Amino acid sequence: MGELDIRPAVAGDVPAIVAMLADDPLGAQRESPDDLTPYLHALKRVSSDPNQHLVVAVRDGRVVGTLQLTIIPGLSRMGATRSIIEAVRIHADERGSGLGTQLIEWAVDESRRHDCQLVQLTSDATRTDAHRFYERLGFQASHVGFKRQL
Amino acid sequence: MGELDIRPAVAGDVPAIVAMLADDPLGAQRESPDDLTPYLHALKRVSSDPNQHLVVAVRDGRVVGTLQLTIIPGLSRMGATRSIIEAVRIHADERGSGLGTQLIEWAVDESRRHDCQLVQLTSDATRTDAHRFYERLGFQASHVGFKRQL
């Protein structure tokens, strides 16, 4: 396999990102890969916010992974800045290749670079394989994640 | 009881916010109310980020509650913007008064105003009373929340 490059996502990556978001038991129900317009608008919002880091992992010219890292300053924990990882996806062809680990470790390194004291994420309760993966990477399943649709 | 005012936090609110962060079984172990310097620096970082909304609830001139709302644009869920609620604290004198509900509903309304499609939060697994509270307010405990200290 060729070298991996992790870099900020640009508009030309959106079809590949959306295809990965949709190629997933949960994502298949909530994405619309046939109409990229809302995703391109969303990319503009993400790219104009300096605390958002939406990246793609590229190997041999192909987008094979993505995640979004958000930096959040706050007062709790003695004024700690934390980061949140969202929307982690690995292309089906690359699962088991160690790419997930590389992407998460990239996010951890980037969080340290932004002086974060804590990295956090939530994972759907049904994704038990993902839970084991995060625990192997040193994450603790200490919290319950709540969501309310608007 | 007097009228409740929910407004952005300013430096003069920091002692009261930190006292509430520390007056908590988990917070007592990780806050330093005797040295406000790191919190005042953190408030500057929060206040300079237009996607952070750190607010206090004030009644009769006294800070009686706080939370932080963060607006996060993203590509997943058809380019949905989501919000995250963190650091919810209610003064001991006001627990059971309905103030927690008012603060969360403020955060939900503010999230709608920012065109969010989803509001999310995590709650420590030991806070079972809080979990019932969020479920009563229409939140679903659909996720596991992972954290990794840096």
Side-chain angles (χ1 to χ4, degrees):
Chain A
M1 290 195 293
E3 283 283 298
L4 190 75
D5 183 27
I6 297 175
R7 60 157 175 79
V10 296
D13 301 317
V14 167
I17 294 172
V18 176
M20 287 189 292
L21 291 173
D23 180 25
D24 174 270
L26 296 171
Q29 303 157 37
R30 54 194 189 205
E31 304 300 344
S32 67
D34 295 339
D35 178 12
L36 297 178
T37 315
Y39 299 98
L40 290 163
H41 285 298
L43 180 68
K44 281 189 192 162
R45 290 191 290 270
V46 169
S47 303
S48 68
D49 179 348
N51 282 330
Q52 308 301 332
H53 304 273
L54 175 67
V55 295
V56 288
V58 179
R59 199 192 306 275
D60 300 330
R62 241 177 107 226
V63 172
V64 290
T66 182
L67 67 71
Q68 181 173 345
L69 183 72
T70 301
I71 310 296
I72 303 187
L75 260 60
S76 63
R77 298 171 184 250
M78 297 181 62
T81 296
R82 66 185 72 200
S83 65
I84 295 190
I85 298 172
E86 283 279 354
V88 181
R89 291 293 187 283
I90 305 296
H91 193 283
D93 295 351
E94 289 258 351
R95 287 178 199 152
S97 72
L99 173 57
T101 299
Q102 286 173 277
L103 263 176
I104 297 295
E105 291 300 346
W106 174 88
V108 167
D109 290 346
E110 188 73 8
S111 299
R112 284 205 181 94
R113 215 172 62 75
H114 284 87
D115 297 322
C116 295
Q117 281 95 61
L118 190 66
V119 184
Q120 62 190 55
L121 58 89
T122 66
S123 180
D124 192 282
T126 62
R127 298 193 197 269
T128 50
D129 287 355
H131 302 174
R132 280 190 292 270
F133 167 74
Y134 290 121
E135 283 176 335
R136 277 198 305 274
L137 291 178
F139 287 82
Q140 290 196 304
S142 54
H143 283 61
V144 179
F146 290 86
K147 291 190 199 277
R148 175 170 155 181
Q149 307 279 341
L150 298 186
Chain B
M1 287 196 299
E3 284 283 298
L4 191 74
D5 183 29
I6 297 175
R7 58 155 176 81
V10 296
D13 301 318
V14 166
I17 295 172
V18 176
M20 287 188 293
L21 291 172
D23 180 25
D24 174 271
L26 297 170
Q29 302 157 37
R30 55 196 189 205
E31 306 299 345
S32 67
D34 295 338
D35 178 12
L36 297 178
T37 314
Y39 300 98
L40 290 164
H41 285 299
L43 180 68
K44 281 190 192 160
R45 291 191 289 272
V46 169
S47 303
S48 68
D49 178 347
N51 282 329
Q52 308 300 333
H53 304 274
L54 175 67
V55 294
V56 287
V58 179
R59 198 192 306 274
D60 300 329
R62 240 175 106 226
V63 171
V64 289
T66 181
L67 65 72
Q68 181 173 347
L69 182 73
T70 301
I71 309 297
I72 303 186
L75 262 61
S76 63
R77 299 172 184 244
M78 297 182 62
T81 296
R82 68 184 73 200
S83 65
I84 295 190
I85 297 172
E86 283 279 357
V88 181
R89 292 292 187 284
I90 304 296
H91 193 284
D93 296 348
E94 290 258 352
R95 285 176 202 154
S97 73
L99 172 57
T101 300
Q102 284 173 278
L103 263 175
I104 297 296
E105 291 300 347
W106 175 89
V108 167
D109 289 347
E110 188 73 9
S111 299
R112 284 205 180 94
R113 214 171 65 75
H114 285 88
D115 296 322
C116 296
Q117 282 95 62
L118 191 66
V119 183
Q120 64 190 55
L121 59 90
T122 66
S123 180
D124 192 282
T126 62
R127 299 192 197 268
T128 49
D129 286 355
H131 302 173
R132 279 190 293 269
F133 167 74
Y134 290 122
E135 284 177 335
R136 277 199 304 273
L137 291 178
F139 287 82
Q140 290 196 303
S142 54
H143 283 62
V144 180
F146 291 86
K147 292 191 198 273
R148 176 171 155 180
Q149 306 280 344
L150 299 186

